[in-house]
């Protein structure tokens, strides 16, 4: 068996018990984070196996891909035709390059990046594009594999076995992993304010559902004693614009101006009366 045949792809790995365990944890975190994010336009970049926008209530939600999906029946719709609905309720929208997103500047309210950065050829450019298309106060949600985890240690050990000509990788071939603290620094450089962040998936990566269930007892121990060693991290951030001040609707501003005018007139009348009495 060649070394290339021993490398498992992401789509294939997500069908394994460990891959399904990872997706279930990520789905739970994202559902809780995006349910109350309001706006008009939301996009998920990549990973169609995850319904990142299922619980979001924005009127315009899309899934963008940078490569054709594996199943031919789920391919993006031809130009001019309505995209078929997905099981998660979010239609296929477009096939695009994540390094040059086809959205206007400051046009999106929410962007979800499920393992998008670790699969990108240039994660810096992808993040810059996300910052460009997000409106001020727009939100980005990121999930990624943690390079400082038990899974990554297992993967490195399995790499030695692959070089000897047997065995398969524990993790899919995703290129260079981006650490949690490194990603936080990248986001801060782009004027994002870091929000919620957490780690998850502490059970060892196994090849069977039976062994994965036997290691269920590790989950609460990992969350309590070594939380930063979780196999995956989840992070949210809000785009901040320096010098920007949010203002309310026009009718509120008119009411405020009218109140100030009335108050000023009343003060002048009271001041005039006081001066006459003196």
């Amino acid at each position: 068996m060649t070394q290339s045949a021993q490398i498992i792809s992401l789509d294939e790995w997500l069908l394994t018990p460990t891959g399904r365990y990872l997706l279930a944890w990520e789905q739970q975190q994202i559902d809780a984070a995006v349910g109350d994010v309001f706006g008009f336009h939301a996009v998920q970049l990549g990973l169609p196996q995850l319904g990142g926008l299922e619980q979001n209530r924005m009127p315009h939600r899309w899934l963008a891909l940078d490569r054709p999906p594996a199943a031919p029946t789920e391919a993006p719709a031809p130009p001019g035709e309505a995209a078929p609905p997905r099981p998660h309720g979010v239609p296929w929208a477009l096939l695009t390059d994540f390094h040059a997103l086809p959205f206007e500047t400051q046009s999106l309210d929410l962007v979800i990046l499920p393992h998008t950065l670790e699969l990108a050829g240039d994660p810096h450019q992808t993040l810059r594009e996300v910052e460009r298309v997000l409106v001020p106060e727009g939100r980005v949600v990121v999930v990624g594999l943690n390079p400082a985890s038990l899974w990554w240690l297992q993967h490195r050990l399995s790499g030695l076995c692959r070089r000897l000509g047997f065995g398969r990788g524990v993790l899919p071939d995703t290129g260079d992993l981006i650490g949690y603290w490194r990603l936080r620094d990248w986001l801060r450089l782009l004027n994002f304010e870091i929000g919620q962040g957490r780690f998850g998936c502490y059970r060892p990566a196994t090849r069977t559902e039976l062994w994965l269930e036997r290691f269920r007892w590790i989950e609460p121990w990992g969350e309590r004693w070594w939380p930063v060693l979780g196999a995956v991290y989840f992070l949210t951030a809000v785009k901040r614009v320096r010098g920007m001040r949010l203002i309310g609707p026009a009718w509120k501003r008119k009411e405020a101006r009218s109140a100030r005018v009335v108050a000023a007139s009343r003060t002048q009348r009271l001041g005039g009366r006081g001066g006459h009495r003196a």
Side-chain angles (χ1 to χ4, degrees):
M1 180 183 293
T2 64
Q3 184 174 354
S4 61
Q6 300 165 4
I7 297 176
I8 185 171
S9 67
L10 179 61
D11 291 338
E12 183 182 1
W13 181 80
L14 290 174
L15 297 176
T16 66
T18 303
R20 294 195 297 269
Y21 163 55
L22 177 83
L23 281 177
W25 186 88
E26 294 177 346
Q27 187 74 56
Q28 182 181 14
Q29 306 308 312
I30 294 178
D31 285 349
V34 305
D36 293 329
V37 178
F38 298 100
F40 296 95
H41 304 94
V43 172
Q44 175 180 324
L45 301 182
L47 202 68
Q49 295 88 345
L50 185 72
L53 295 172
E54 181 179 2
Q55 296 300 318
N56 186 260
R57 290 171 283 181
M58 294 189 194
H60 307 291
R61 297 169 293 154
W62 306 287
L63 171 67
L65 303 178
D66 61 348
R67 60 181 62 88
T73 57
E74 296 181 345
E81 295 186 14
R86 297 181 59 246
H88 296 296
V90 180
W92 298 109
L94 69 157
L95 196 63
T96 184
D97 182 1
F98 293 166
H99 300 154
L101 296 174
F103 301 106
E104 295 183 359
T105 299
Q106 298 186 3
S107 61
L108 302 180
D109 300 282
L110 171 65
V111 177
I112 298 179
L113 305 176
H115 302 282
T116 309
L117 298 178
E118 59 205 39
L119 294 171
D122 188 346
H124 288 278
Q125 178 58 28
T126 299
L127 266 185
R128 284 192 289 267
E129 278 293 281
V130 171
E131 190 277 336
R132 179 186 67 82
V133 301
L134 275 175
V135 300
E137 305 301 311
R139 191 177 300 267
V140 60
V141 178
V142 186
V143 290
L145 292 172
N146 182 16
S149 65
L150 175 61
W151 286 13
W152 186 243
L153 177 61
Q154 289 181 265
H155 186 65
R156 297 297 294 270
L157 293 176
S158 68
L160 176 62
C161 297
R162 295 201 306 273
R163 284 193 292 271
L164 296 176
F166 61 91
R168 300 187 71 183
V170 174
L171 296 178
D173 182 25
T174 58
D176 295 331
L177 301 185
I178 302 171
Y180 174 79
W181 301 106
R182 183 183 177 192
L183 177 60
R184 287 172 63 101
D185 291 339
W186 289 4
L187 288 168
R188 286 197 180 102
L189 288 174
L190 292 172
N191 295 324
F192 280 93
E193 180 180 310
I194 307 301
Q196 180 184 6
R198 65 173 304 181
F199 296 82
C201 297
Y202 298 95
R203 307 181 212 178
T206 64
R207 301 190 185 280
T208 65
E209 190 75 36
L210 176 63
W211 278 104
L212 195 63
E213 286 299 315
R214 287 179 176 177
F215 284 114
R216 178 185 289 270
W217 61 271
I218 294 180
E219 206 76 44
W221 286 82
E223 292 180 356
R224 180 174 181 180
W225 297 109
W226 55 88
V228 297
L229 300 182
V232 61
Y233 59 80
F234 164 84
L235 179 65
T236 66
V238 178
K239 177 181 174 179
R240 302 299 189 191
V241 178
R242 295 180 180 178
M244 186 197 71
R245 183 172 64 89
L246 293 179
I247 57 178
W251 62 269
K252 287 188 177 181
R253 296 198 299 273
K254 290 180 179 179
E255 286 184 355
R257 284 198 299 268
S258 300
R260 288 196 296 269
V261 171
V262 171
S265 301
R266 188 176 182 182
T267 302
Q268 290 175 358
R269 290 198 301 270
L270 291 175
R273 293 173 183 172
H276 180 70
R277 286 195 299 269

